[in-house]
Amino acid sequence: MTQTPWSATVLTLFPEMFPGPLGLSLSGKALMSGIWSMKTVNIRDFAADKHNTVDDTPFGGGPGMVMRPDVVDAALASVEERPGPIVYLSPRGKVFNQAMAAELAEGDGVTLLCGRYEGIDQRVLDKREIREVSLGDFVLSGGELAAMALLDACLRLLPGYMGAEASLEEESFSAGLLEYPHFTRPATWDGMDVPAVLLSGHHEKIKAWRQAEAERTTRTRRPDLWSRYCTTKGAGMSAN
Ligand code: SAH
């Protein structure tokens, strides 16, 4: 086991946004206890002119501004010693998921590049073979909130982050299914009872009920996940 914290480097025009919400609650505690570390790089510090210009109008015309490749490249060059891949948060990227979070969490860390305006000049992304990752099919005003969401998903998988490690294995997406529903006290609330099986103390029955609920929820809410689950489960069974 290495003692080096999992490290996040964020290149942004708004470094004051970090750690932001990641400085609170479990991620904040994990930051304090050295499970992870973070540093920000202000892209504007690498502007070459006296006006600190980081963007310019798009070639070919059109609205908005584009972040200059020379400025972004200089900012990236300043963090050459970084662990982990460079990820550009971008609506054009591969859609982020739990498997990507797990892969990143298993490594040493990640370097995140946050865009603003219309985005970043393509040439610097190509030159540095930067992975593009999207949070979903919607457009944010900047990569910072996407970077925080990505980081949060990775951080909670780090060893020592959560008290009960086992709870991670049953979570939504880990087994290819959405999670079963949760209930706590009071056992009867507002005229509604908790499912009786959960009060039975019968572990096998509870497990079976939870599995059935996870399958039912996934089948009705996420047919895409459900068909993938059926395929891999089928493949797994034939391999046995
Ligand atoms: N013109 C771009 C949108 C730019 S939005 C387009 O239509 O594709 C400005 C910045 O916000 C992007 O550079 C990116 O860093 C971030 N961003 C916007 N939507 C995002 C998403 N769905 N996932 C991750 N980052 C996003």
Side-chain angles (χ1 to χ4, degrees), residues 88-92 115 117-119 133-136 138-143 146:
Y88 168 45
L89 285 311
S90 155
R92 301 176 66 229
Y117 322 122
E118 289 306 318
V133 172
S134 168
L135 220 59
F138 47 83
V139 181
L140 299 166
S141 322

Side-chain angles (χ1 to χ4, degrees), residues 15-16 95 113 127 157 172-173 189 194 235:
E16 58 276 36
V95 179
L113 179 56
K127 173 187 164 184
L157 301 177
S172 293
F173 311 113
W189 171 76
V194 163

Side-chain angles (χ1 to χ4, degrees), residues 151-197:
L151 285 175
D152 185 74
C154 296
L155 295 174
R156 57 200 300 289
L157 301 177
L158 297 177
Y161 182 94
M162 295 245 243
E165 303 268 341
S167 71
L168 287 173
E169 276 150 40
E170 289 191 8
E171 276 188 330
S172 293
F173 311 113
S174 300
L177 292 172
L178 300 177
E179 205 182 36
Y180 49 79
H182 298 284
F183 300 90
T184 187
R185 287 183 191 81
T188 301
W189 171 76
D190 213 12
M192 291 178 277
D193 294 330
V194 163
V197 63

